[in-house]
Amino acid sequence: HATLVLTITALAAQQVSYENALALAIGSNVGTCISAIIGALGANVEGRRLAGAHLIFNVTTGAVAIALIHQMMRAVDWFSELVGIAADDYTLKLAVFHSLFNVLGIILVVPFTQTLVRVLTRVMPAPEVEFEKPEFLSKATMQLPETALEAIRNETIRLYDRAVEIIAHGLALHREQLFSDQDLTTLVHESRRPFPENVEERYEQSIKSIYSAIVEFSSQAPTDGKPEVGDQINALRNAGRQVVESVKALKHLQSNLLVNMRSPNQHVRDQYDALRVQIGTVLRAVEDIRKQPDDVLTTLSLDAARVELEKNDLVSDGTLDRLIRHQSIDARSATSLMNDAGYAYDLCENLLDAATTLLGPHEFEAHSIERSLALDEAEIEDAVHRHLK
């Protein structure tokens, strides 16, 4: 377009002839293909196909326009006379030629659109999606209830690790930084560049594929008639489902989060940073437990994270009401923030529930005792209420 504007200007100043201006108009249209090609370098296969279609459209139209240049010039003269453009008004006639050029391209390409699609699909086939395969689930580990149970546990922990990586990147944080000693609030304030990662693709390729394998394996795992083994298998399968739900919550949260964490409104930005800190705190709490020796490992430590999660709920603690009352944020932003706070809460709750199952005692009796000692929902609410007082 810049080239065309310069050509029109040069034509008006009589620096180029009318015929040369027409040639420059054709060349400028073909030249725009380089922008599409450069843009396609980092695009997926659909973007590259679109760039290919753009190239074919312009090159084909340019070749035909050059071959029929005299006929097109007569068509421009006829149309110009029809609408009252002066015979020597070459700038307007150049604009008419450019419009005619694009109409010609549409007439040439549209009838062959489906053929073009088939050719581009064949020349640039979509890469085969590689779904992640389970590491611990096999026929060998299926032989005994104990080995099958341990295999399911290890695979579900692996599923959790994949989810943590996706969630960290979805929050625009590196996993190494997230689990470092760096102050989390400072880290969140300094990390505002989104990761070039498609959460939906990672979910399909990694989370969904591994969880599907866990479900299939656990449904066939032997129990030898031991109810406690069946109960543990069901608990692990449910933990896997909770991990999957946490990633789904991230998918809902991410679209608004990546935009609003760079919002010009300081209050909106602070609240979305608070959600990132909230999720990061839960991830750190679980990781701290995993680093403890087995003899001191207890998921009762997660109760502190549960209480903290309830304390920092921006709806129940009145933060959202204050922001609206002081007109710090508008109603639209408040609604989005409320929904996203719900997604963040669900994400954290699912991760904590899954971690409780995965990191708790392996023995059924010990696990049952620990779960009975853990704070229930009413006790957590009571602890939060006392804190607010």
Side-chain angles (χ1 to χ4, degrees):
H1 290 294
T3 304
L4 190 61
V5 168
L6 290 173
T7 302
I8 292 173
T9 305
L11 180 61
Q14 298 181 349
Q15 296 299 308
V16 295
S17 66
Y18 174 56
E19 290 77 8
N20 286 339
L22 297 184
L24 286 169
I26 296 173
S28 66
N29 275 276
V30 176
T32 60
C33 297
I34 190 63
S35 302
I37 292 171
I38 292 174
L41 292 178
N44 58 17
V45 65
E46 297 294 342
R48 292 194 293 273
R49 288 172 183 169
L50 181 59
H54 186 266
L55 176 65
I56 292 171
F57 177 90
N58 283 289
V59 170
T60 301
T61 309
V64 173
I66 291 173
L68 302 177
I69 187 68
H70 297 293
Q71 290 83 347
M72 291 186 68
M73 289 175 66
R74 285 197 290 270
V76 169
D77 291 339
W78 172 82
F79 182 82
S80 298
E81 185 179 350
L82 183 67
V83 298
I85 297 175
D88 58 349
D89 193 347
Y90 294 118
T91 54
L92 276 180
K93 291 175 75 172
L94 176 60
V96 171
F97 176 84
H98 188 259
S99 301
L100 183 61
F101 176 90
N102 286 301
V103 171
L104 175 64
I106 294 172
I107 294 172
L108 289 172
V109 175
V110 165
F112 302 100
T113 299
Q114 294 305 318
T115 303
L116 183 61
V117 169
R118 287 194 295 270
V119 170
L120 290 170
T121 303
R122 186 167 62 251
V123 173
M124 290 180 277
E128 291 187 11
V129 178
E130 294 185 6
F131 295 102
E132 195 163 355
K133 294 179 173 56
E135 288 186 1
F136 300 97
L137 309 180
S138 65
K139 291 182 179 179
T141 57
M142 181 76 79
Q143 302 303 315
L144 298 172
E146 291 76 11
T147 57
L149 185 61
E150 192 64 19
I152 296 171
R153 184 183 300 277
N154 288 334
E155 198 64 52
T156 308
I157 291 175
R158 180 167 169 263
L159 176 70
Y160 174 87
D161 288 334
R162 291 291 183 273
V164 168
E165 181 181 358
I166 294 171
I167 292 170
H169 290 176
L171 300 176
L173 299 171
H174 287 282
R175 182 170 176 168
E176 295 76 14
Q177 293 176 316
L178 178 61
F179 295 141
S180 67
D181 295 331
Q182 186 175 354
D183 179 69
L184 190 55
T185 302
T186 303
L187 175 61
V188 164
H189 285 323
E190 294 175 350
S191 304
R192 299 194 181 277
R193 178 175 294 181
F195 278 58
E197 185 172 72
N198 189 314
V199 174
E200 183 66 39
E201 287 183 3
R202 287 293 307 276
Y203 170 79
E204 291 291 334
Q205 295 171 9
S206 184
I207 300 299
K208 189 175 181 179
S209 60
I210 295 176
Y211 181 60
S212 298
I214 292 172
V215 171
E216 182 179 3
F217 185 90
S218 60
S219 64
Q220 301 173 4
T223 61
D224 287 359
K226 299 176 182 178
E228 63 274 15
V229 174
D231 289 341
Q232 289 186 67
I233 289 175
N234 288 334
L236 289 171
R237 183 164 53 191
N238 188 54
R241 181 188 60 79
Q242 290 163 337
V243 171
V244 171
E245 291 298 326
S246 68
V247 179
K248 287 183 177 179
L250 173 70
K251 290 197 295 181
H252 292 300
L253 170 65
Q254 191 192 33
S255 57
N256 281 339
L257 186 145
L258 294 181
V259 173
N260 289 312
M261 72 180 186
R262 294 179 293 174
S263 170
N265 186 320
Q266 179 69 44
H267 301 284
V268 172
R269 195 163 63 247
D270 288 345
Q271 293 309 311
Y272 276 92
D273 281 351
L275 295 182
R276 296 165 70 202
V277 170
Q278 181 186 68
I279 297 170
T281 301
V282 169
L283 293 174
R284 277 190 174 181
V286 176
E287 190 65 19
D288 288 342
I289 291 177
R290 294 181 67 179
K291 291 178 181 177
Q292 299 299 323
D294 290 342
D295 57 343
V296 297
L297 180 65
T298 170
T299 54
L300 295 179
S301 306
L302 293 175
D303 281 343
R306 294 181 190 278
V307 172
E308 199 67 26
L309 180 62
E310 293 291 341
K311 273 192 331 189
N312 294 327
D313 182 60
L314 61 87
V315 177
S316 60
D317 69 2
T319 299
L320 193 59
D321 288 336
R322 284 196 302 275
L323 291 172
I324 297 173
R325 188 166 54 250
H326 297 155
Q327 297 183 340
S328 300
I329 61 175
D330 56 29
R332 186 182 182 86
S333 298
T335 303
S336 296
L337 186 55
M338 186 182 302
N339 291 333
D340 292 334
Y343 292 134
Y345 180 89
D346 291 342
L347 189 159
C348 294
E349 189 174 41
N350 278 308
L351 286 180
L352 289 171
D353 288 343
T356 300
T357 301
L358 296 174
L359 305 180
H362 292 196
E363 296 77 13
F364 182 73
E365 292 80 3
H367 183 72
S368 299
I369 292 172
E370 186 170 294
R371 290 300 295 265
S372 67
L373 292 175
L375 296 178
D376 59 24
E377 187 174 340
E379 291 169 328
I380 291 174
E381 290 181 358
D382 183 59
V384 173
H385 183 68
R386 288 200 303 272
H387 170 80
L388 294 177
K389 277 187 174 183

